[in-house]
Amino acid sequence: DIQMTQSPSSLSASVGDRVTITCRASQGISNYLAWFQQKPGKAPKSLIYATSSLQSGVPSKFSGSGSGTDFTLTISSLQPEDFATYYCQQYNSYPYTFGQGTKLEIK
Amino acid sequence: EVQLVESGGGLVQPGGSLRLSCAASGFIFSNYAMHWVRQAPGEGLEYVSAISSNGGSTYHTNSVKGRFTISRDNSKNTLFLQMGSLRGEDMAVYYCAREGRGNWIDYWGQGILVTVSS
C-alpha cells in the first residue's frame, strides 16, 4: 500500500494568514492527489483533485501543487470558516490511502 | 444536486452483521464508480471499498477482505456494504462517496455510525 504522510499534524494560524500543508507519498503517484476539508461532526468536502484542480465551487484561496511524491496545499487569507482538518488522498492505486490529517486551529 | 444518504447503521454485537445502504440522487448513478470510507471516533479517514459503475469490479482493503462485501443496485440507485464478523475496530462513521470522472472522490454522504459493542 502507498503510505501518505502529512505535515504538520497540527497548525495554529491567525485570520488573514497564509498556510501550507505538505503531503508525501511513499512512492510516486503522478498527479493523482486530492485534498479534502473536514469540520467537526461533518462529512469531508472535496477541495482539490489532480493535485491542483479546484472542485467546482471551491474558492481560489485554495491551491495545490506538486508531483511524484511531494505535494502541498496552500490556503491564503485564512477566514474563520477555514479552520478545520485537511486530508490528502492518493488515487493512483488501491487502496486509495489518506494522510493522517492536519488540524488547522485558530491562534 | 448530488445527494448521497446512508442508512442501516446502529449497534451490533462483536461477530454480528450489518448492511449499510447509500441512496443516490441528482445524478445518473449507473455512470459512476462508488466508494466506502470510514472514520473511527477521533481518528482519520480510512479507505474501505470500491465498486465500478456496473458492479463488475470491486475492491476491499485488507482489513475487511472476506468480511465485507460492496455491491450496488443500479435500478434502485443504491450502494450497499454488507459487513460481517464485525469487530471493535470496525466501529466508525461510514461514508459513501462518489468517484468523479477522473477517479477522484467528488461527493460524500453525511455518514452513518456503526457501533460494535456487547
Side-chain angles (χ1 to χ4, degrees), chain A residues 1 32 34 36 38 41-46 49-50 55-56 87 89 91 94-100, chain B residues 35 37 39 43-47 50-51 59 61-62 95 99 102-111:
Chain A
D1 297 0
Y32 299 117
F36 304 95
Q38 187 179 34
K42 300 295 186 181
K45 173 187 173 183
S46 301
Y49 62 94
Q55 177 75 8
S56 175
Y87 294 92
Q89 184 203 29
Y91 53 98
Y94 287 128
Y96 290 173
T97 40
F98 293 89
Q100 81 278 15
Chain B
H35 303 263
V37 175
Q39 187 170 36
E43 301 295 323
L45 301 171
E46 181 187 16
Y47 188 81
I51 188 166
Y59 172 85
T61 199
N62 284 340
Y95 296 100
E99 179 176 301
N103 298 343
W104 69 90
I105 287 175
D106 60 357
Y107 288 96
W108 298 71
Q110 85 286 354

Side-chain angles (χ1 to χ4, degrees), chain A residues 8-82:
Chain A
S9 296
S10 63
L11 177 58
S12 292
S14 300
V15 172
D17 284 354
R18 170 182 157 132
V19 298
T20 296
I21 298 168
T22 297
C23 180
R24 174 165 288 174
S26 60
Q27 63 190 76
I29 58 170
S30 186
N31 70 332
Y32 299 117
L33 192 283
W35 290 95
F36 304 95
Q37 176 194 65
Q38 187 179 34
K39 296 181 179 179
K42 300 295 186 181
K45 173 187 173 183
S46 301
L47 295 177
I48 287 173
Y49 62 94
T51 297
S52 59
S53 297
L54 288 181
Q55 177 75 8
S56 175
V58 173
S60 59
K61 63 188 304 181
F62 294 93
S63 63
S65 65
S67 68
T69 60
D70 295 311
F71 302 87
T72 60
L73 170 70
T74 299
I75 312 168
S76 61
S77 187
L78 282 171
Q79 296 302 304
E81 61 267 23
D82 300 327

